[in-house]
Amino acid sequence: IAGITQAPTSQILAAGRRMTLRCTQDMRHNAMYWYRQDLGLGLRLIHYSNTAGTTGKGEVPDGYSVSRANTDDFPLTLASAVPSQTSVYFCASSRTPYSYEQYFGPGTRLTVT
Amino acid sequence: DQQVKQNSPSLSVQEGRISILNCDYTNSMFDYFLWYKKYPAEGPTFLISISSIKDKNEDGRFTVFLNKSAKHLSLHIVPSQPGDSAVYFCAASYTFPSGGYQKVTFGTGTKLQVIP
């Protein structure tokens, strides 16, 4: 089934640990995004990539890094997790960086203790 | 500063009646508006959109209205069905002057409950 997969589905992580959230799409979309969803704050953009090999900072990039080595994969890394990074993380893609519609993965629920 | 606001965190509507979800924005550069629907434990899915050059777009039971002068848009669902119970996110997009990339800003969401 075409779409976006994210792993893990959920994770409990000790503060200070490193964690990589995985995101893979099979739609050959050029642009990919990482959002976090927090109660009362909606979806906030962390990082984005307009095409393979390029990345950019979103609204809340601090404490996160991304890479885009190929079209399909867009991992998000927390170098040293803090409790404020407890959230639900969504990966999304769009056909091009000029496209309005984004397609979302099922999310990763991360709890940092 | 929240550029896209959904001031009602929740809304309850009887099955068969109309659901009206509201969204306000502050950035005049937004030129495209979207609504996404999100069920629990799933990612948001695109529902309907409208260009800033239009004031209405309809797709089946879903209609989006745009009032540019008031910087306000609304989503109407008629008739509402229990399966419509979900969180609805309003989103607004504008084109970066250089490069033409889209920047999408999401609202905080409104949880709709349709009561059978």
Side-chain angles (χ1 to χ4, degrees), chain A residues 35 37 40-43 50 90 97-102 104-106, chain B residues 32 36 38 42-44 46 89 93 99-102 104 106-108:
Chain A
Y35 292 91
Q37 183 195 4
L41 296 175
L43 291 161
N50 286 329
F90 290 100
Y98 318 105
S99 304
Y100 300 104
E101 184 180 344
Q102 296 182 11
F104 285 81
Chain B
Y32 208 82
Y36 283 81
K38 184 186 178 303
E42 295 183 10
F46 169 75
F89 289 100
S93 176
Y101 304 132
Q102 294 300 315
V104 180
F106 286 84
T108 54

Side-chain angles (χ1 to χ4, degrees), chain A residues 28-45:
Chain A
R28 308 301 294 172
H29 284 178
N30 285 316
M32 297 187 75
Y33 314 87
W34 272 106
Y35 292 91
R36 59 179 290 174
Q37 183 195 4
D38 303 289
L39 193 63
L41 296 175
L43 291 161
R44 294 182 294 168
L45 182 66

Side-chain angles (χ1 to χ4, degrees), chain B residues 56-67:
Chain B
K56 177 183 175 181
N57 188 28
E58 190 172 355
D59 183 3
R61 297 185 296 113
F62 302 91
T63 303
V64 56
F65 295 92
L66 176 63
N67 182 333

